[in-house]
Amino acid sequence: MKNAITYFEPVHGSTQSAFDAERYRQSVELYDAQRYTEAFHTFLDSLNPKFRETYGNAEGTEFHIPHGSIVVDIHLTDDRLRIHADFMELPAKGSVAMLRQVAGLNTNQLLLPTFLLEGNRLTLDYTCPMQRTHPAKLYGVLRDICYIGDQYDDEFAAKFGATRLYTPNVQPYSAEETARLYDAIQTICREALAAVKEYDANRQGAYSWNILETAVYQILYTAAPQGQLLNELDKAVADLDRDLPLNELNQKGAEALRKLAAMSREELARDLYHVDTLISTKRRSSLRNVQDNLREVYGQAEQAIQGGNFEAAAIRMLYKFYEMYYYCDVQDNINGVVARALAKASGQPWEEAAEALYDAMDALMEGNLEGDDDTDFDFSAAIGEAAREMQENLQATVGDVQSLVQEMQQKMAEALARGDMQEYMRLAAEMQQKIMQQALGGNQ
């Protein structure tokens, strides 16, 4: 591989989070002052200031906010909050297998919200007293509901034949944009697979792995796909990050790209669209967390450049920059620095590409940015504080919880043995609710 990979303009010019940190701070202050309804309204404004007017009632007690393929229903009373989302209707056949997977999500991925089975309809549900509605906790609840609800609907529809309970409001990309992105994806796949063939022949498997995962990240960054295509690309990332021999990882990554390259333009277009969102499932960037994530590769790149290994330096920096976009909503001033460098390095010989990418990384590490980067606010830390508080409460009642879990697991095993998946689901949800009640002092 003689030159750096080709850069393509992303479909979304701005990668910045819509989250308003100042409004969030105000919501925490209101919560601390025990003005719970005002705190919730301000928290909702921090996600999007148009939500209350667009999706709420005049009293500010009821909201129906779309997110991808679900609608999140929020109901407030003077003393209680309920968050609810209709998910899917069970298929006529194969419902037991689907419910097994849902039960796994209940116990392994969902912390506070839970799946409930109401007849043949699955819903996501969470309720708590208003005095337990700390904004950081609510952010986590909404993020879980939105992530699980929007990710698994396509999988369950394709895998089990389940039916969506809501038809999402989507705006397909224009024909011109779809054609541009199709050509871009074809080029990304072609360049990556050609590079992997060359690197594998030279026993440079680590280079192949970096190129493959970078290609998947780049497709996600460039095209911002939705639906089943997004799920498949997320799976490709997960597969490449598994603890397996390097050659197996590279085989999986190459197969994912070959499968994508074989898609027709019409097949690709089905998952290229804009859709309403309530909350981003990515982390909100700050200069500090970007610097923390780049620091190791920054040092590696500097050493590689000093040693004349421009190819290694550029490949690692390309990987880290595209990885950043995968995990973070990148604020505009950081995005501007990185996107310009990616465009400048596009198709260039390795030395020129490495120089452009290193200059960008150096600017970020030195903090040479224009505009306010809001580094004094780390939202993930706020969520972490809430999680630690819940963990402390859980540890304080660990004996009661262990006894409860043993009892409920026995009942669940009995329900599973007799094939009663509806009872199994009910018990799984009940166990989750009781555990959280114990952890939060008897109230969620």
Side-chain angles (χ1 to χ4, degrees), residues 85-143:
D86 288 333
F87 180 56
M88 303 198 84
E89 185 173 308
L90 295 179
K93 297 181 179 180
S95 61
V96 172
M98 177 175 161
L99 286 172
R100 286 180 187 272
Q101 188 168 344
V102 169
L105 293 174
N106 252 358
T107 54
N108 298 322
Q109 290 199 38
L110 289 167
L111 179 59
L112 291 174
T114 186
F115 275 109
L116 298 178
L117 185 59
E118 301 174 354
N120 66 339
R121 296 160 66 96
L122 276 170
T123 65
L124 282 155
D125 199 84
Y126 176 73
T127 184
C128 70
M130 288 299 292
Q131 63 265 31
R132 295 284 186 178
T133 55
H134 190 286
K137 174 183 164 184
L138 294 183
Y139 188 96
V141 168
L142 289 174
R143 186 183 183 281

Side-chain angles (χ1 to χ4, degrees), residues 183-234:
D183 291 342
I185 291 171
Q186 289 290 312
T187 301
I188 292 168
C189 292
R190 183 172 60 251
E191 288 183 351
L193 291 170
V196 167
K197 183 177 180 180
E198 178 183 328
Y199 288 137
D200 283 353
N202 294 326
R203 298 182 181 275
Q204 294 175 298
Y207 280 23
S208 293
W209 182 88
N210 277 272
I211 287 291
L212 287 165
E213 189 146 27
T214 299
V216 178
Y217 287 150
Q218 187 184 8
I219 291 166
L220 288 159
Y221 164 80
T222 304
Q226 303 291 331
Q228 189 60 19
L229 178 56
L230 174 58
N231 290 345
E232 290 177 2
L233 289 168
D234 283 339

